Amino acid sequence: MGKTALILEGGAMRATYTAGVLDALLKGNFFPDKIYAVSAGSCHACSFLSHQFERNLQIITKYARDSRYISFRNLFFHGGVFGFKFIFDDLPNRLIPFDYDTCEKYVDRLTMVATNCITGKAEYLTADNVLKMFEYCQASSSMPLLSRKKMIDGTPFLDGSISDSIPIKKSIEDGNEKHIVVLTRDKNYRKEESTTSTKLMRLIYKKYPAIAETHSKRHLNYNETLDFIEQLEDEGKIIVIRPSQPINVGHIERDVEVLTNIYKMGFEDTLAKINSF
């Protein structure tokens, strides 16, 4: 039987939906052969690899209002709205311990998308240990305009969603035969062009014109991928889990009740589909 791949879209705090999806999969004892994740999807995938049910929910409910986790203060003092030192050091090593040993067994199943600032192209990063996975996750999650670039082996990277928001085509190219795609937008959503962000990208990343150019076409590539996914879904070739209701939150939503409800939607939407896997 062919390999099964799980594809996880990003979406900053909107991806709390994905945390619910992944916990439902753990509850249903479903674990894929491969995972392709982007941005916040990469972050939630880490606790999925370690098989820690509700760990992501614990982080959200305990620390969504904590400025160390997410705040504009972090942007000014630490180079990004998300506090990566807090997320990848304080949380796993002291506050909500991470199961390194379990994750180590599965770490090579996770491929994270990050965008090379020099070429403007997607790179697909697969780690061979947990610490490298955390490093790649930071690259995949470094949102443009809201995070500093992440350097890996001397190369600057930003958020994978700039170049490949939903890496279904990469999974197909890699030879996986069964695909489960987790989206964080409802079925009616299509991305609109943002001329303001395009201008800011060209100004702030003027040393990296390729990434600004890729970002300017992001809405076109994103919508084309959604059309492709819906075509495959209509043909019965993939399974898609998407929000049953629109999720209307910003990148730095901190309302615990709102986020918990999004998590619950992801959990329940997945339980409703899990028998079809």
Side-chain angles (χ1 to χ4, degrees), residues 113-117 120-123 156-163 211 214:
V113 186
T115 306
N116 185 314
C117 292
K121 295 181 179 180
E123 293 197 15
F157 286 90
L158 280 172
D159 200 296
S161 66
I162 300 170
S163 53
I211 199 167
T214 298

Side-chain angles (χ1 to χ4, degrees), residues 7-28:
I7 293 91
L8 307 177
E9 182 182 11
M13 298 307 284
R14 192 175 67 248
T16 302
Y17 178 85
T18 303
V21 172
L22 296 177
D23 275 348
L25 296 180
L26 285 177
K27 184 174 182 178

